[in-house]
């Protein structure tokens, strides 16, 4: 009997066994239209404009999979933050099993092959010193330069494609990054953003040697209809006069009221038979002791168990860590400092209480 070859733990975790998500109707339309356009005769850059929660990364991964079934393409995928790299690798492994995702720093030393997706931040390749050296700097016996890798890929007959995710942030280095894309001369180029910044995108395209782009969008109502986003947001701001300000503890009031609203949502979910505990998000000021102060209010004023409180203590948000806490079903509250922005996935989040401006917001729908 022949024993199967040993497999590493990382292979078991990151290798997708098949697409796990079924596209919504609007996602299917976008995937088909972007696929047709990006590999059409003119091959113009494509811009996907879609609200947060609409599945932009999922849509792009399926476009790459579709194009890669018809063409031998090596893809370079760029994100704004290092913390989004692993998240994107996981999404590719789950939703585009015909592709092979890896970090650009590792992939440059691999044999080029169709379907490779090499991930990097935009700042990782936006280097004037690289540009002045024709992107052929820093190589050696054990490391290829970008110029060596791309030259080898093209000598093997492979095309180059580029994806720019979260373009409204990723294009902060628009001009220098544009020089890199112009040098790369990709056959396929697509961007995705939730909040388009036309001037920045046009500046990037100009430096990349592109004069126009094809835009694809989806309305927020379609995303809400597919239950990928909430129908509306209810906001409440506390404003106190001087006399009341001197006697009221506004931070305690905000957190207590937010916790009561969270409990109300819990009761409403129980009444209609939905087994789910909403998550309270509590944003505090930067500085020492602010997380602990909010935790003390939750425990002493609201009766929340310390085991049900998750804390992200870093001043700068780590989307991967925050998402891990937000998706921990043992936690009823997540306390953090900076805004939970790009890359944070908190599907159970129902109420946000922020002491930074002393107001709170309920996400409802």
């Amino acid at each position: 009997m022949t024993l199967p070859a040993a497999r590493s733990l990382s292979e078991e975790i990151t290798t997708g066994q098949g697409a796990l998500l079924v596209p919504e109707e609007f996602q299917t339309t976008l995937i088909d239209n972007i696929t047709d356009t990006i590999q059409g005769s003119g091959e113009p850059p494509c811009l996907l404009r879609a609200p947060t929660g609409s599945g932009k990364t999922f849509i792009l991964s399926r476009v790459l999979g579709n194009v890669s079934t018809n063409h031998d393409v090596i893809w370079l995928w760029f994100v704004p933050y290092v913390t989004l790299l692993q998240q994107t690798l996981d999404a590719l492994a789950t939703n585009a099993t015909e592709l092979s995702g890896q970090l650009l720093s590792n992939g440059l030393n691999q044999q080029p092959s169709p379907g490779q997706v090499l991930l990097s931040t935009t700042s990782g390749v936006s280097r004037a010193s690289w540009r002045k050296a024709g992107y052929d700097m820093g190589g050696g016996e054990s490391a290829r330069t970008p110029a060596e890798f791309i030259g080898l890929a093209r000598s093997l007959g492979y095309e180059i494609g580029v994806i720019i995710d979260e373009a409204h942030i990723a294009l902060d280095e628009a001009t220098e990054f544009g020089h890199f894309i112009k040098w790369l001369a990709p056959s396929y180029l697509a961007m995705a953003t939730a909040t388009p910044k036309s001037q920045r995108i046009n500046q990037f395209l100009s430096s990349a040697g592109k004069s126009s782009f094809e835009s694809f969008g989806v309305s927020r109502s379609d995303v809400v209809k597919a239950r990928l986003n909430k129908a509306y947001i209810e906001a409440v701001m506390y404003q106190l006069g001087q006399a009341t300000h001197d006697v009221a503890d506004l931070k305690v009031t905000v957190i207590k009221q937010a916790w009561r609203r969270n409990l109300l949502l819990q009761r409403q979910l129980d009444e209609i038979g939905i087994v789910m505990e909403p998550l309270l998000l509590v944003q505090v000021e930067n500085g020492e002791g602010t997380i602990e102060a909010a935790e003390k209010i939750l425990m002493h004023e609201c009766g929340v168990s310390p085991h049900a409180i998750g804390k992200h203590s870093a001043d700068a948000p780590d989307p991967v860590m925050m998402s891990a806490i937000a998706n921990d079903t043992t936690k009823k509250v997540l306390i953090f400092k900076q805004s939970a922005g790009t890359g944070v996935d908190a599907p159970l989040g129902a109420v946000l209480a922020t002491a930074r401006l002393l107001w709170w917001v309920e996400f409802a729908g």
Side-chain angles (χ1 to χ4, degrees), residues 48-355:
L48 170 60
R49 310 165 68 132
T52 298
S54 58
K56 293 184 294 298
T57 301
F58 170 69
I59 291 168
L60 290 176
S61 66
R62 292 310 317 142
V63 169
L64 266 60
N66 290 345
V67 175
S68 295
T69 60
N70 300 319
H71 305 272
D72 290 337
V73 187
I74 292 175
W75 299 92
L76 281 75
W77 186 307
F78 296 98
V79 296
Y81 304 130
V82 172
T83 48
L84 295 180
L85 292 173
Q86 186 59 51
Q87 189 170 307
T88 305
L89 284 171
D90 292 342
L92 287 169
T94 301
N95 302 314
T97 56
E98 60 271 71
L99 303 174
S100 173
Q102 56 192 299
L103 297 179
L104 175 64
S105 55
N106 297 331
L108 291 179
N109 297 319
Q110 305 298 320
Q111 180 68 13
S113 61
Q116 280 180 320
V117 184
L118 308 182
L119 275 79
S120 172
T121 59
T122 49
S123 60
V125 297
S126 301
R127 306 180 191 181
S129 59
W130 278 19
R131 171 170 50 84
K132 293 174 183 177
Y135 300 97
D136 197 21
M137 174 185 285
E141 292 184 1
S142 60
R144 287 199 194 105
T145 66
E148 289 171 335
F149 178 84
I150 296 301
L152 178 58
R154 287 204 163 106
S155 72
L156 296 172
Y158 303 147
E159 297 178 282
I160 304 299
V162 169
I163 298 295
I164 306 169
D165 206 355
E166 303 294 348
H168 59 292
I169 304 172
L171 294 181
D172 279 339
E173 312 248 1
T175 301
E176 191 60 57
F177 180 62
H179 290 321
F180 176 77
I181 300 302
K182 185 175 183 178
W183 167 82
L184 202 58
S187 301
Y188 312 98
L189 172 59
M191 302 168 286
T193 177
T195 54
K197 298 181 179 179
S198 299
Q199 183 177 358
R200 185 171 294 176
I201 290 172
N202 290 333
Q203 180 186 2
F204 159 71
L205 290 174
S206 176
S207 59
K210 305 289 185 180
S211 59
S212 62
F213 61 88
E214 188 82 17
S215 183
F216 299 84
V218 59
S219 68
R220 187 177 182 277
S221 61
D222 285 335
V223 179
V224 171
K225 183 179 178 181
R227 303 185 67 81
L228 297 177
N229 212 330
K230 295 179 174 65
Y232 60 88
I233 296 174
E234 177 184 318
V236 179
M237 177 178 286
Y238 289 87
Q239 293 180 316
L240 302 181
Q242 186 60 46
T244 311
H245 187 275
D246 293 338
V247 297
D249 190 329
L250 197 51
K251 185 179 297 184
V252 172
T253 300
V254 167
I255 293 178
K256 287 178 68 175
Q257 289 297 102
W259 176 246
R260 287 170 180 168
R261 179 56 62 93
N262 209 64
L263 293 178
L264 173 62
L265 292 175
Q266 176 69 77
R267 290 195 297 272
Q268 291 174 337
L269 289 169
D270 291 341
E271 289 171 0
I272 60 178
I274 296 178
V275 183
M276 185 187 79
E277 291 193 11
L279 178 71
L280 170 62
L281 306 175
V282 177
Q283 183 185 21
V284 298
E285 309 95 324
N286 286 337
E288 295 184 6
T290 55
I291 295 264
E292 291 75 13
E295 182 181 27
K296 186 176 296 185
I297 294 171
L298 286 162
M299 290 189 298
H300 296 167
E301 302 289 339
C302 304
V304 182
S305 165
H307 301 294
I309 302 174
K311 295 174 286 184
H312 180 279
S313 58
D315 286 341
D318 179 338
V320 175
M321 181 179 294
M322 288 187 67
S323 295
I325 299 172
N327 286 279
D328 182 348
T329 56
T330 67
K331 305 301 181 187
K332 297 183 178 181
V333 183
L334 167 57
I335 308 175
F336 62 98
K337 294 181 180 178
Q338 288 286 349
S339 175
T342 302
V344 175
D345 183 15
L348 301 181
V351 178
L352 166 65
T354 173

